[in-house]
Amino acid sequence: MSDEADGRPDGEPDAEGGADGSDQTERTPTPREPGLESSEPAVREVEEGDDPTTPMAPDLPEDVRKYDRFKKMDGATYDRANDFLRDRTYITAREWAIARLCADFRTETGVEMTKIGENLPHLVPFMTDTYTPQAVNQARASFKEKVRKSGATFLYGAMCDFYTAEELDELMYEVTEVAKFLLEVEGVELTVEEELAAEDRIGDVMREVRESSAALRHDHVTCPECGHEIESGTGGHSEHEPASADD
């Protein structure tokens, strides 16, 4: 069974035994998030006083106490969030939540990964384990890698002339709806005017992509590997010699 099929992020490294060994000593792996496989990097079970269903302890950092990004997910399980995402995206619920937290808990010197990991059950309702900073970093890296690969896949699909303009518009509408829903779950309030404006901007960009890719397919392009020019219709490299002074 593949990594994606069993719910484990494809190619994601094991959280145990980080390179520098920090935050790994004297900690024993315990049961993971519901729906996660054994490689998920939870490091200890939440203690009774840390139960996210009880009022937050007074010693929690102020920004953690006030954080309510995922309040609409109160009562939701990890399995439910993960199944929704796996049906519509390439990311897991763990990667989604931690990527959002890394963006929100960024300072001038970097991301507060220790704070995120230690307070994860208080920050995200469907997460029940604390994570090491290394585990937080792994989830963020996995999210970024999946966005990069899926972005390249989507852009190629839009540029390769596989879709008609109408089909591409329909596809953009569907994926935009999913993205907006995730933003709304995170607590972003979008007005109808803002939604329509965003859809118009995205539509304009995609039309430009189609026009530019059509011009690209019917003109020479530069090979991304070696820098040589590829003439349209030949499929081969063409090395253009610089013109001499006598030409």
Side-chain angles (χ1 to χ4, degrees):
M1 184 179 292
S2 67
D3 288 339
E4 287 295 334
D6 67 9
R8 178 159 51 89
D10 185 19
E12 183 169 338
D14 193 343
E16 299 302 322
D20 58 5
S22 60
D23 280 359
Q24 301 281 348
T25 59
E26 299 182 3
R27 297 198 182 194
T28 303
T30 56
R32 271 62 177 172
E33 298 295 334
L36 294 182
E37 298 302 327
S38 60
S39 64
E40 291 296 334
V43 294
R44 70 169 176 85
E45 189 173 292
V46 179
E47 297 175 356
E48 182 177 355
D50 292 336
D51 187 348
T53 63
T54 62
M56 290 189 177
D59 58 343
L60 286 175
E62 184 68 17
D63 51 355
V64 172
R65 292 172 59 83
K66 292 182 177 180
Y67 192 81
D68 60 356
R69 179 75 77 175
F70 291 95
K71 63 182 180 180
K72 292 184 179 180
M73 297 291 287
D74 285 346
T77 64
Y78 182 92
D79 280 344
R80 183 178 179 185
N82 204 45
D83 288 345
F84 177 87
L85 287 166
R86 289 182 64 187
D87 286 343
R88 297 164 178 82
T89 74
Y90 282 125
I91 59 175
T92 66
R94 181 178 69 96
E95 292 162 344
W96 169 44
I98 289 180
R100 179 71 267 168
L101 293 172
C102 286
D104 289 344
F105 286 87
R106 178 181 294 278
T107 67
E108 294 180 356
T109 57
V111 177
E112 297 179 292
M113 294 187 182
T114 298
K115 178 185 289 186
I116 292 171
E118 291 179 348
N119 296 285
L120 192 55
H122 297 296
L123 294 166
V124 184
F126 55 79
M127 303 297 282
T128 59
D129 285 337
T130 58
Y131 283 17
T132 65
Q134 291 84 357
V136 172
N137 188 47
Q138 287 173 6
R140 182 182 67 158
S142 180
F143 175 87
K144 293 173 69 175
E145 180 70 3
K146 289 181 179 181
V147 169
R148 184 182 67 82
K149 288 183 177 180
S150 59
T153 304
F154 172 77
L155 190 57
Y156 170 73
M159 295 176 66
C160 71
D161 206 27
F162 179 83
Y163 294 100
T164 65
E166 292 75 17
E167 290 173 333
L168 193 58
D169 284 343
E170 182 178 348
L171 176 62
M172 283 303 304
Y173 174 78
E174 293 175 358
V175 299
T176 300
E177 287 299 301
V178 174
K180 289 191 301 184
F181 177 78
L182 294 179
L183 289 173
E184 290 170 357
V185 169
E186 292 176 8
V188 177
E189 300 294 338
L190 297 174
T191 66
V192 174
E193 292 76 14
E194 289 172 333
E195 290 186 11
L196 293 176
E199 290 175 2
D200 288 342
R201 290 195 299 270
I202 293 172
D204 291 341
V205 170
M206 294 313 302
R207 280 187 286 274
E208 291 180 7
V209 168
R210 281 187 57 82
E211 293 171 0
S212 298
S213 61
L216 201 63
R217 290 193 303 272
H218 295 88
D219 198 355
H220 69 272
V221 296
T222 301
C223 175
E225 298 295 332
C226 64
H228 290 166
E229 290 184 349
I230 305 173
E231 295 294 346
S232 176
T234 65
H237 290 92
S238 174
E239 298 187 20
H240 294 273
E241 296 294 334
S244 67
D246 295 332
D247 291 343

